[in-house]
Amino acid sequence: MTMNEKALILDKSGIDRALTRISHEILEKNRGAKSIALVGIQKGGVHLAGRLAAKIREIEGVDIPVGSLDITMYRDDLGTRKSQPVPKATDISFDVQDRVIVLVDDVLFTGRTIRAALNSIMDYGRPMRIQLAVLVDRGHRELPIRADFVGKNLPTSSKEKVKVLLAEDGEEEKVVILAE
Amino acid sequence: MSLSSKDLLGIKGMSPEEIRLVLDTAASFKDVSERDIKKVPALRGKTVINLFYEPSTRTRTSFELAGKRLSADVLNISTTTSSVVKGETLLDTARNIEAMKCDVLILRHPCSGAPAFLASRLKSSVINAGDGFHEHPTQALLDLFTIREKLGTIEGRTVAIVGDIAHSRVARSNIYGLTALGARVRVCGPATMIPYGIEQSGVEVFYDADRAVDGVDVIMTLRLQLERQAAGLFPGVREYARLYGLNRDRLSRAGKNAMVMHPGPMNRGVEISSDVADSSSVILDQVTNGVAVRMAIMFLLSGGAKAEAS
């Protein structure tokens, strides 16, 4: 079963514009960059978190802490999968206590990854607030979870796949829908 | 990529890819032990049983902590206080444990092959925590992890294993693991402690410890099992220490930043001198890494769907 590209949703400049807007929204909602930290969810969210931090530095002139989070050990489907996923690096080198943590992911779908990320981040301390930034919200939520900052709302069929390709992984930068 | 078996019985039979999968997975689990909250829910609701027919502090504690940090329920059965003293057979003990629904059974046993015997008769995953003179796979995996962590690569490194090679399950597992990942392995000890035909597993044999450690990247010293003296395998502890013990002087013949390892428990002043053990070794790093590697193994073996299929 091969999936083919059905539609181009965002190109390179579209992704960049969305991230610029999200950066402004994060700063606006939190009234500046004080006490904010970005945490990218492995794997797609990590590069995006780095880019948002760079944009916030451009806008506000401050460096905010950036971390990465692997949620493998918190997944709710570990016992039912065919094989175990290999966990990637979690790197949270700052204190999450009393900070505003902005979780960053590429695609928001069922919400199960975010549920796992919420549990995981709580094991590092008690953040003041947790917010969620995603490049694409494709719907089909299975849990009561919503994003605070969305690059693109995208109605999809559950049979389709949404793929975010980034230059950091050596790809031509774009967001596409794949279908059979 | 996943492990091809429901059990971990030995390093022999594991492919280099499988070994690397365990080491890569362990790297992530090491972080868990560094945090304030040293627990992740990956094995929530699973039951892990430590069944030890031989004394152990390090290995049993390490498995217990690994299971607990994965949120599994861990039980320890030591044979001196169990029905084994009433004459229950290994298989009956294991079947009774399994009847209470356990998912992972960790077995240490003085008979080589005991874990394989149980693995073929139980649905649970069986992890070999040391069987007779056969294998001690998790020890080799944590040694490989430690070498890779400190030196970056294993391929092309030269490792000298010094001591009672013939009776060491640690040596056997390490020989399989190191050669599978492309290291050059030297074994060294008194001729009475070098098994016949060991060259066929791709190692170089030395009887002179000074020559064996010359220019190596890693020295693994093995515990001298003192009861072997009674068996006549070596004349005396002092002579053994002089000829095969790792001291400062002998260590200086190895590579400049040579790593010193020991699986524990140490006989200080016999196979390793106290100053080498305390100032130049990675022995405690091995212990730290042991928990991460055992977490990785339990995690990889508990891939639910696969376990049910097999």
Side-chain angles (χ1 to χ4, degrees):
Chain A
M1 182 177 80
T2 51
M3 308 274 282
N4 298 312
E5 190 172 320
K6 183 183 155 196
L8 176 70
I9 305 307
L10 289 171
D11 59 6
K12 188 175 189 320
S13 53
I15 292 174
D16 193 61
R17 277 194 289 271
L19 292 176
T20 304
R21 178 172 52 74
I22 291 175
S23 310
H24 281 286
E25 285 175 0
I26 290 173
L27 290 168
E28 188 183 11
K29 181 158 181 154
N30 294 294
R31 298 194 180 87
K34 203 168 150 275
S35 73
I36 295 182
L38 300 179
V39 174
I41 299 174
Q42 292 277 15
K43 169 167 176 259
V46 176
H47 299 318
L48 296 176
R51 289 200 201 178
L52 288 173
K55 287 191 183 293
I56 287 173
R57 188 185 315 118
E58 270 172 42
I59 301 163
E60 207 81 341
V62 289
D63 277 310
I64 57 170
V66 185
S68 59
L69 189 66
D70 181 274
I71 56 97
T72 304
M73 302 169 205
Y74 291 80
R75 298 182 71 103
D76 58 9
D77 59 354
L78 284 175
T80 54
R81 294 166 60 94
K82 265 213 191 75
S83 72
Q84 297 288 57
V86 178
K88 297 182 186 67
T90 289
D91 175 20
I92 297 188
S93 48
F94 48 86
D95 194 359
V96 304
Q97 200 78 21
D98 299 326
R99 267 188 200 282
V100 176
I101 301 292
V102 181
L103 290 173
V104 183
D105 204 356
D106 51 1
V107 180
L108 178 58
F109 184 27
T110 60
R112 288 178 191 269
T113 300
I114 304 305
R115 193 283 307 161
L118 290 171
N119 284 128
S120 174
I121 202 85
M122 302 277 194
D123 280 354
Y124 284 85
R126 183 176 189 274
M128 185 205 302
R129 198 169 289 128
I130 300 179
Q131 297 168 350
L132 175 61
V134 296
L135 186 57
V136 177
D137 181 350
R138 61 168 293 190
H140 303 285
R141 215 75 78 241
E142 293 169 4
L143 297 171
I145 278 171
R146 59 153 182 80
D148 300 89
F149 314 104
V150 180
K152 177 102 183 158
N153 278 301
L154 183 63
T156 56
S157 142
S158 55
K159 284 182 191 141
E160 295 165 334
K161 275 193 171 177
V162 176
K163 202 136 177 84
V164 175
L165 302 164
L166 297 174
E168 285 91 335
D169 294 319
E171 304 280 353
E172 186 200 343
E173 197 142 306
K174 59 185 175 182
V175 177
V176 291
I177 295 185
L178 303 176
E180 276 175 49
Chain B
M1 170 94 208
S2 57
L3 298 180
S4 58
S5 163
K6 77 174 171 67
D7 312 294
L8 177 69
L9 303 177
I11 302 292
K12 192 179 189 178
M14 280 178 90
S15 68
E17 291 72 35
E18 285 182 308
I19 296 174
R20 281 191 207 102
L21 173 69
V22 175
L23 304 186
D24 291 343
T25 307
S28 304
F29 282 107
K30 190 172 176 180
D31 291 343
V32 175
S33 296
E34 314 274 333
R35 313 188 320 204
D36 276 349
I37 298 181
K38 301 175 188 57
K39 207 178 193 60
V40 291
L43 257 64
R44 200 164 59 92
K46 303 269 183 191
T47 304
V48 175
I49 310 259
N50 265 325
L51 180 57
F52 275 57
Y53 283 77
E54 276 182 10
S56 162
T57 331
R58 218 173 332 275
T59 307
R60 192 184 54 73
T61 310
S62 185
F63 270 113
E64 183 172 355
L65 282 175
K68 286 184 169 166
R69 286 181 186 168
L70 291 170
S71 302
D73 295 303
V74 185
L75 247 79
N76 292 304
I77 299 174
S78 115
T79 52
T80 47
T81 55
S82 72
S83 280
V84 173
V85 295
K86 298 181 190 166
E88 189 173 50
T89 67
L90 171 64
L91 185 57
D92 283 337
T93 302
R95 280 191 174 141
N96 277 277
I97 290 168
E98 192 167 68
M100 292 181 236
K101 306 296 171 199
C102 81
D103 301 287
V104 180
L105 183 70
I106 297 156
L107 179 68
R108 166 165 289 188
H109 201 281
C111 296
S112 304
F117 171 81
L118 284 190
S120 61
R121 287 161 178 82
L122 299 179
K123 282 195 212 76
S124 322
S125 289
V126 176
I127 299 178
N128 180 0
D131 61 333
F133 301 150
H134 176 225
E135 281 224 43
H136 190 351
T138 55
Q139 177 70 43
L141 290 167
L142 75 90
D143 289 341
L144 294 170
F145 182 85
T146 306
I147 296 172
R148 200 175 76 161
E149 183 181 55
K150 303 279 173 191
L151 302 181
T153 55
I154 291 171
E155 195 175 354
R157 302 285 177 181
T158 306
V159 182
I161 307 178
V162 183
D164 184 357
I165 309 295
H167 301 98
S168 173
R169 52 198 179 204
V170 175
R172 208 170 311 277
S173 288
N174 264 308
I175 289 169
Y176 293 136
L178 286 164
T179 51
L181 296 189
R184 284 189 295 272
V185 182
R186 299 173 177 181
V187 296
C188 175
T192 48
M193 295 179 169
I194 302 285
Y196 180 74
I198 183 86
E199 300 85 353
Q200 284 163 10
S201 48
V203 304
E204 226 184 320
V205 178
F206 290 75
Y207 300 103
D208 178 338
D210 286 336
R211 285 187 45 219
V213 302
D214 189 25
V216 300
D217 301 297
V218 179
I219 304 173
M220 285 186 186
T221 50
L222 299 174
R223 185 172 73 89
L224 182 68
Q225 290 159 296
L226 297 170
E227 63 272 20
R228 305 272 169 239
Q229 190 185 355
L233 295 182
F234 62 99
V237 171
R238 279 182 59 195
E239 188 199 75
Y240 182 89
R242 191 164 48 79
L243 292 176
Y244 295 101
L246 186 63
N247 51 36
R248 182 74 45 207
D249 186 39
R250 188 159 283 147
L251 178 57
S252 69
R253 293 169 184 270
K256 213 167 143 207
N257 296 312
M259 256 172 78
V260 177
M261 309 178 82
H262 191 296
M266 291 184 271
N267 297 303
R268 286 172 177 269
V270 183
E271 69 267 8
I272 188 165
S273 72
S274 274
D275 64 331
V276 170
D278 295 333
S279 62
S280 316
S281 80
V282 296
I283 295 170
L284 294 177
D285 298 282
Q286 290 173 267
V287 177
T288 304
N289 292 337
V291 178
V293 164
R294 292 180 174 113
M295 287 171 82
I297 286 292
M298 285 190 220
F299 174 76
L300 290 169
L301 292 181
S302 300
K306 187 187 63 180
E308 278 157 30
S310 59

